[in-house]
């Protein structure tokens, strides 16, 4: 089952000895192959490894921001450490620290490829590709669009087309009404 199915996730959590709320996967189908390495891990093991990855990515983002903004290293690290988004990402085991690092790399270096890679994990960074069109940086825009299209095609070789259809035709539109798989989304 697609990891947005709460019943399947709840059962997997119970099988893993975990009690409490289990949150469904909010990422698009192209992200699934990127998380394939977590399949042999327990739910708790995967959560812990994701927390370590996010912490490393946030430290990397702090270093990147310090260099890019010519700020003392402690300032961006302090801001990231105090960010409610960083805390929530760690609590839920999300990949947002990695996303932020990819977007930061793309923005600081004027490159579309890291932003497109982030958009394959979570669709919202794709809107940042507009800046390349606005700046008439067509080659860079095409690189980003090509990476995105290639990532989608590669995901279609691994992820069933029915999952793509369900996500884009049912799950994604369901987010707009604020209710999704029994969770209220403000």
């Amino acid at each position: 089952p697609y990891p947005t199915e709460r019943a399947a996730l709840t059962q997997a959590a119970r099988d893993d000895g975990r009690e409490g709320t289990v949150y469904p996967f909010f990422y698009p189908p192209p992200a699934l192959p990127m998380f394939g390495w977590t399949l042999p891990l327990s739910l708790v093991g995967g959560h812990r490894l994701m927390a370590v990855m996010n912490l490393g990515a946030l430290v990397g983002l702090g270093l990147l921001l310090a260099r890019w903004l010519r700020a003392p290293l402690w300032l961006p690290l302090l801001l990231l450490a105090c960010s409610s988004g960083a805390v929530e990402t760690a609590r839920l085991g999300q990949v947002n620290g990695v996303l932020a690092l990819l977007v930061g790399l793309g923005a600081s270096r004027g490159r579309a490829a890291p932003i497109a890679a982030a958009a394959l994990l979570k669709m919202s960074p794709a809107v940042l590709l507009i800046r390349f069109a606005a700046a008439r940086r067509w080659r860079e825009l095409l690189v980003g669009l090509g990476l995105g299209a290639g990532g989608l095609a590669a995901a279609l070789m691994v992820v069933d087309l029915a999952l793509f259809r369900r996500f884009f035709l049912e799950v994604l539109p369901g987010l707009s009404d604020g209710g999704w798989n029994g969770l209220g989304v403000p």
Side-chain angles (χ1 to χ4, degrees):
Y2 187 66
T4 57
E5 305 298 335
R6 282 188 80 193
L9 283 173
T10 300
Q11 186 58 50
R14 301 300 173 260
D15 292 347
D16 205 30
R18 185 182 189 303
E19 296 294 325
T21 305
V22 179
Y23 296 95
F25 192 81
F26 278 98
Y27 301 100
L32 286 171
M34 295 181 205
F35 293 113
W37 56 269
T38 63
L39 290 174
L41 301 174
S42 69
L43 211 57
V44 172
H47 188 275
R48 287 180 180 154
L49 186 55
M50 190 61 69
V52 169
M53 284 178 51
N54 272 309
L55 180 60
L58 288 173
V59 168
L61 180 60
L63 293 167
L64 177 80
L65 289 171
R67 178 189 283 158
W68 186 24
L69 302 174
R70 294 184 179 97
L73 179 58
W74 63 266
L75 182 60
L77 289 177
L78 177 66
L79 292 173
L80 289 168
C82 295
S83 161
S84 64
V87 172
E88 194 68 4
T89 287
R91 187 178 77 79
L92 295 176
Q94 296 175 319
V95 70
N96 293 333
V98 174
L99 288 166
L101 178 59
L102 287 169
V103 169
L105 284 168
S108 68
R109 295 190 167 97
R111 299 285 181 241
I115 294 170
L120 287 169
L121 288 170
K122 199 169 193 174
M123 295 176 344
S124 53
V127 75
L128 298 174
L129 294 175
I130 293 170
R131 73 183 277 225
F132 297 101
R136 299 179 188 264
R137 296 188 56 205
W138 307 118
R139 181 172 180 251
E140 199 58 43
L141 177 64
L142 289 174
V143 166
L145 293 175
L147 179 68
L152 283 171
L156 275 169
M157 290 189 270
V158 179
V159 179
D160 185 27
L161 181 61
L163 294 177
F164 270 83
R165 291 181 56 165
R166 183 174 186 287
F167 180 82
F168 288 107
L169 298 177
E170 296 174 31
V171 173
L172 193 58
L175 288 174
S176 67
D177 68 13
W180 191 68
N181 280 355
L183 295 174
V185 180

